[in-house]
Amino acid sequence: MNVTEAVTSRRSVRDFLDKPVDKAIIERVLETAQRAPSGGNTQPWNALVVGGDALVDLTAKIKAKAKEAPMGEGMEYAIYPAELEGRYEDQRRAVGRDMFESIGLAREDKMGRIEQMFKNWDSFGAPVQLFTYTRKYMGPPQWSDMGMWLQTVMLLLREEGLDSCSQEIWAMYGTYMRELLNIDDDHIFFCGMAIGYRDPDAPINNFSVPRVALDEAVEFRGF
């Protein structure tokens, strides 16, 4: 698989097969991903990879917390800006609408939508979670570096035939996640990433996720 194939075949997978992931593959991916760029070579990312009984235990605890505080508790950063508008908000709403429509959940089916969102806490059936965090004093450039590292991880997973779903939803319980993962107060929790093998037949893994035209996002000068 070349880089273009990895980029174009990557998507946020929300239905994984019940198939284990070899730890050696994850180690190989993460070892290679250490080559991801970062300003001044700071490499500001930190991560925990969780699977097996440890993930089962963490899943049970976060699901209990989500039932207790469904709107979140202890968030350490805003997942979306309050002033999100224009095409950015349109795109966010559209992908949510298309996702629910792909599995036949009508807008009026509030309980069905809640049940679907609750599948986040089960990692959509993936056997592995990668949780990312960094020092609290890190700024936007270092958060960008974390994003470049995560993207590198996702593309390398595709090379191995694996799939992923980055899940900022875990940050709704940021301080609790740090408690569960034994991350100290000098750090801030960023996100989770479900890792596994996609179910190729699941409708939720096959709906179209369009991108804006290049000229809406990029301007060329001097060419």
Side-chain angles (χ1 to χ4, degrees):
M1 182 180 294
N2 61 36
V3 177
T4 298
E5 290 169 336
V7 170
T8 55
S9 66
R10 189 216 64 81
R11 66 176 293 139
S12 294
V13 168
R14 294 182 175 88
D15 196 338
F16 290 86
L17 297 173
D18 183 14
K19 180 179 178 180
V21 175
D22 189 340
K23 179 186 175 186
I25 297 177
I26 302 297
E27 288 180 323
R28 182 163 63 244
V29 164
L30 296 179
E31 183 69 33
T32 306
Q34 286 299 106
R35 302 300 306 172
S38 59
N41 198 31
T42 52
Q43 304 172 55
W45 50 82
N46 297 274
L48 286 162
V49 182
V50 184
D53 291 342
L55 183 57
V56 171
D57 180 64
L58 185 146
T59 295
K61 289 175 179 175
I62 199 68
K63 288 172 77 172
K65 175 62 75 173
K67 289 180 179 179
E68 173 189 310
M71 301 307 292
E73 179 182 281
M75 290 182 66
E76 299 184 291
Y77 72 92
I79 295 175
Y80 297 107
E83 63 274 16
L84 192 68
E85 44 76 40
R87 74 169 177 88
Y88 311 109
E89 177 65 1
D90 292 344
Q91 289 155 193
R92 187 185 72 85
R93 289 180 178 274
V95 76
R97 180 197 64 225
D98 293 347
M99 179 187 71
F100 287 126
E101 287 182 354
S102 76
I103 52 177
L105 287 176
R107 185 179 181 85
E108 300 75 28
D109 189 355
K110 303 296 185 184
M111 185 54 65
R113 290 185 171 217
I114 290 172
E115 289 175 356
Q116 175 59 38
M117 293 307 292
F118 237 73
K119 291 181 181 180
N120 274 280
W121 313 125
D122 287 311
S123 304
F124 301 115
V128 176
Q129 266 286 346
L130 183 150
F131 296 108
T132 306
Y133 60 101
T134 191
R135 293 294 292 269
K136 284 184 175 178
Y137 61 64
M138 295 296 183
Q142 289 74 48
W143 281 67
S144 174
D145 293 340
M146 276 199 295
M148 289 191 286
W149 176 75
L150 286 166
Q151 173 76 337
T152 302
V153 171
M154 288 187 278
L155 297 181
L156 289 167
L157 288 169
R158 288 301 303 125
E159 184 182 57
E160 297 282 358
L162 285 159
D163 290 282
S164 62
C165 183
S166 292
Q167 297 174 273
E168 290 170 312
I169 194 170
W170 294 86
M172 288 176 60
Y173 306 95
T175 56
Y176 186 54
M177 285 302 299
R178 287 198 292 105
E179 177 185 330
L180 291 178
L181 297 171
N182 196 28
I183 299 170
D184 63 48
D185 291 340
D186 290 335
H187 291 82
I188 182 170
F189 177 84
F190 179 27
C191 69
M193 180 192 287
I195 298 173
Y197 296 93
R198 81 173 76 179
D199 181 346
D201 300 319
I204 202 167
N205 292 337
N206 289 289
F207 70 93
S208 177
V209 185
R211 298 301 196 259
V212 299
L214 185 62
D215 60 8
E216 290 186 60
V218 178
E219 177 183 350
F220 289 89
R221 297 180 180 179
F223 289 88

